[in-house]
Amino acid sequence: ESVDTDSDGIGNNTDTDDDGDGIVDSFDKDPLNALSKIYLINSSTTLSSDINFVSIGAVEIEVTNNAVLTIQSDITFPTVNINTQSQVILNSGTITSPRFKGEGNLIINNATLYSTEINVNTTQTNGHLRTNSNLNLPSGFTQTGGTLHLNITNSTNSNNLVLQGNIQLNGNLNITKDSDYVPIPGRVFQLIQLNGHTISGSTTVDVPELLKSYNWNTNPLLIDGSTRVIFSGHPAIGLE
């Protein structure tokens, strides 16, 4: 055989990774181009074993051809591109991906998802949606159950929701704080950047425990995106 794209001494007819980019040819969108590291899923697939796609060299996962990708294990993804009429269903496990995009559908069931940007039609029915920084949510994000988590680190740093459109929350919004941070009355936390958009639905808001006689005013949270610490029984009192 005369063709050996990656010059590894194994001809392309025998080599399972012709371009040597770490992605086997059967899943490589461009198997002869080592600079294209897109892992292609074009038929319905269930992942039930732990996989780190970043460590094998993939820079993007593309779900296409009406495929349904079902996750029921711990998975580390790069960017996930869900094409039209394709779906990614997160049934269980802990899934990490910096970004979901595309014209398909993302469904969060009983899994825990860590992400920073979701730009695809998304429904959360259960499970947990978390971020280690800020979380961009798309227009039409719908939460019918489950929990969305935001953490306050200190007086100037916290996880934020950044809305790209109107969203609907009908599950739980869980606000936590670092154990060594003690907020005091008057401190305002802008946890949601509405950007002119609105939040509809009926969600429960959980907040961390405070010192005695301090409380949280969460009334503005779904209106202007803010919450603050107050003296119990006196929502207008308390300056830092």
Side-chain angles (χ1 to χ4, degrees), residues 28 32 43-44 47 52 108 114 116 135 139 144 148 160 165 168 185 226 240:
D28 196 335
L32 300 180
S43 61
S44 293
L47 299 180
N52 187 330
I108 306 167
Y114 284 86
T116 56
L135 176 61
S139 177
T144 62
L148 199 161
N160 286 179
Q168 185 175 116
S226 69
E240 195 171 45

Side-chain angles (χ1 to χ4, degrees), residues 108-178:
I108 306 167
N109 288 331
N110 293 313
T112 296
L113 171 62
Y114 284 86
S115 188
T116 56
E117 181 179 354
I118 299 177
N119 193 21
V120 64
N121 186 54
T122 301
T123 300
Q124 181 184 11
T125 68
N126 208 336
H128 301 272
L129 180 53
R130 298 178 177 271
T131 183
N132 290 320
S133 55
N134 292 336
L135 176 61
N136 288 263
L137 290 181
S139 177
F141 174 88
T142 300
Q143 182 197 51
T144 62
T147 303
L148 199 161
H149 298 265
L150 296 174
N151 185 65
I152 298 170
T153 303
N154 52 46
S155 61
T156 57
N157 295 287
S158 63
N159 299 150
N160 286 179
L161 285 185
V162 182
L163 303 194
Q164 308 301 317
N166 299 335
I167 68 170
Q168 185 175 116
L169 300 180
N170 287 295
N172 174 246
L173 178 57
N174 183 42
I175 300 170
T176 57
K177 68 176 185 67
D178 282 8

Side-chain angles (χ1 to χ4, degrees), residues 150-159 175-191 207-212 214-216 227-230 239-240:
L150 296 174
N151 185 65
I152 298 170
T153 303
N154 52 46
S155 61
T156 57
N157 295 287
S158 63
N159 299 150
I175 300 170
T176 57
K177 68 176 185 67
D178 282 8
S179 59
D180 59 350
Y181 174 55
V182 181
I184 62 176
R187 171 55 60 189
V188 176
F189 302 94
Q190 191 70 36
L191 298 179
V207 291
E209 185 177 352
L210 296 172
L211 295 175
K212 185 178 180 181
Y214 292 0
N215 209 343
W216 293 93
T227 185
R228 69 187 180 110
V229 178
I230 60 174
L239 297 176
E240 195 171 45

Side-chain angles (χ1 to χ4, degrees), residues 5 8 10 27 29 47 68 82 86 99 106 115 120 132 137 159-160 165 172 187 192 205-206 216 218 221 226-227:
T5 300
D8 64 352
I10 304 173
F27 293 103
K29 185 173 183 178
L47 299 180
V68 176
I82 310 172
S86 293
R99 186 184 185 203
L106 172 65
S115 188
V120 64
N132 290 320
L137 290 181
N159 299 150
N160 286 179
N172 174 246
R187 171 55 60 189
I192 304 175
V205 179
D206 292 333
W216 293 93
T218 59
L221 185 59
S226 69
T227 185

